[in-house]
Amino acid sequence: MPTHLRQRPVAPAAPAPGPSPDAPRARLLSRLDTKGSPYLFLAPFYVVFAVFGLFPLGYTAWVSLHSWSMSGKGSFIGFDNYTELFADPDFWNALFNTLGMLALATVPQLFIALVLAGLLNQKLRATTLLRMGVLLPIVTSVAAVGIVFSQIFDRDAGMANGLLGLVGVHPIDWRADKWSSWLAISTMVNWRWTGYNALIYLAAMQSIPRELYEAADIDGAGRMRQLWSITVPMIRPAVIFTVISSTIAGMQLFTEPLIFGQGNYAISGGTLHQFQTLSMYMFEKAFRDFDYGYGSAVAWMIFLVIMLLTLINFLVVRRAK
């Protein structure tokens, strides 16, 4: 009996998958994630900077254009506060003091930090301990530093005069003259910030290829020649950073001279304003004499001087060979 095989019916082919209705939305989210995420992550910084940086800056400029005392806002006086400021000998004296202490504190500080970093970059025993040791002055409270150094530079019982007496130098009244008070205050600043700058230089030196130093050794270059011909050019970005940050900190010098002054004339920088800085002068006008308009004008002048010095330092260091 013949057998008839029946062909199975073929199921119709499934339609090809078309584009998902969610595809445009997914592409949009992916694009926003790629393009917008960096701005979203940066936004908190700029919001905080606008609230605590730009707004006080603009508000201070507004106050400086008014006659503003403790009783409140007075009349709009335009640039009268600035005109009075340019004719104020105390302002120019404070600016001169600030620049003098800035030079005494910044130049030796950065040079010593560079040499110290070069020494810490050598193969030494207990390297980590030595590197951490240079950070100890940063940990110390600035108030404690000021009190200790005020005792060291005391006229009658200070250690500085004691050491000078061993070599036959008469006791110095460190608070009486400009040069002596500048030197004492600059010593405080140098002691506190030299180690910090040294570690920045050391971190930059770690990225310099060792082959350069080995080649210099073969050529007979000494350590100082290697420092100036290899190390300094290779860490120029770090040098620019430390120069700018030290300039800004030096122009805002306040706590060290205030503690060094002591007594009723502390905010005045001595009886003859011999070590009064711009920040102290601003504080004196705004919060002791309650002339907020004039104090705001001083604050804006500090800002402009900082911007000018920063620009000069940046151009000089960047062009230096």
Side-chain angles (χ1 to χ4, degrees):
M1 183 175 181
T3 301
H4 299 283
L5 297 178
R6 299 175 60 185
Q7 186 176 8
R8 292 183 179 180
V10 178
S20 172
D22 295 334
R25 182 182 177 186
R27 285 197 297 270
L28 178 62
L29 291 177
S30 176
R31 187 173 181 182
L32 286 177
D33 181 50
T34 304
K35 302 291 184 182
S37 294
Y39 298 101
L40 185 63
F41 292 139
L42 288 172
F45 166 76
Y46 285 104
V47 171
V48 173
F49 176 71
V51 173
F52 296 101
L54 293 181
F55 173 74
L57 194 63
Y59 189 71
T60 303
W62 172 252
V63 174
S64 69
L65 302 177
H66 291 76
S67 174
W68 203 306
S69 63
M70 192 169 64
S71 59
K73 185 178 72 171
S75 58
F76 180 80
I77 58 174
F79 291 96
D80 287 357
N81 281 326
Y82 293 94
T83 304
E84 183 181 354
L85 189 66
F86 287 133
D88 186 353
D90 289 337
F91 167 74
W92 293 110
N93 174 70
L95 178 60
F96 181 64
N97 290 340
T98 305
L99 294 177
M101 283 184 271
L102 173 66
L104 285 177
T106 302
V107 178
Q109 177 189 141
L110 297 183
F111 178 75
I112 296 172
L114 189 62
V115 175
L116 189 60
L119 295 174
L120 288 173
N121 199 30
Q122 306 298 319
K123 293 181 180 178
L124 302 172
R125 291 183 179 178
T127 306
T128 304
L129 183 62
L130 293 174
R131 292 175 179 175
M132 292 180 64
V134 300
L135 272 182
L136 285 179
I138 302 294
V139 181
T140 309
S141 165
V142 63
V145 174
I147 293 172
V148 170
F149 274 85
S150 296
Q151 298 300 318
I152 291 175
F153 288 102
D154 185 73
R155 182 191 61 182
D156 301 320
M159 186 174 68
N161 279 339
L163 294 175
L164 292 175
L166 296 177
V167 293
V169 178
H170 294 290
I172 298 173
D173 189 353
W174 296 96
R175 294 178 178 83
D177 298 311
K178 279 185 180 294
W179 71 269
S180 56
S181 58
W182 290 4
L183 191 61
I185 294 169
S186 301
T187 303
M188 282 188 226
V189 179
N190 288 330
W191 182 84
R192 183 169 168 75
W193 292 105
T194 298
Y196 171 79
N197 289 316
L199 281 190
I200 293 177
Y201 291 153
L202 178 62
M205 289 177 185
Q206 298 289 309
S207 62
I208 301 176
R210 290 289 173 185
E211 292 78 7
L212 294 177
Y213 293 106
E214 293 172 359
D217 286 333
I218 294 174
D219 292 339
R223 295 297 180 188
M224 290 303 296
R225 179 63 186 276
Q226 294 180 20
L227 179 66
W228 293 113
S229 299
I230 299 176
T231 304
V232 173
M234 295 292 289
I235 64 169
R236 184 174 299 171
V239 174
I240 293 175
F241 170 76
T242 55
V243 168
I244 292 175
S245 60
S246 299
T247 302
I248 295 173
M251 288 301 300
Q252 296 175 339
L253 193 61
F254 180 81
T255 307
E256 288 88 348
L258 181 69
I259 298 175
F260 180 74
Q262 301 179 347
N264 297 327
Y265 295 98
I267 194 63
S268 300
T271 54
L272 299 176
H273 306 274
Q274 56 267 31
F275 54 90
Q276 186 183 46
T277 63
L278 279 177
S279 297
M280 296 167 69
Y281 187 60
M282 177 197 67
F283 189 91
E284 181 184 34
K285 289 298 178 183
F287 301 107
R288 195 196 69 177
D289 301 341
F290 301 110
D291 191 348
Y292 299 119
Y294 197 78
S296 298
V298 177
W300 252 89
M301 288 307 300
I302 295 175
F303 172 73
L304 293 178
V305 173
I306 288 176
M307 294 300 293
L308 178 63
L309 291 180
T310 301
L311 179 62
I312 293 174
N313 282 330
F314 175 75
L315 294 176
V316 170
V317 175
R318 194 181 66 168
R319 292 175 180 274
K321 295 182 179 180

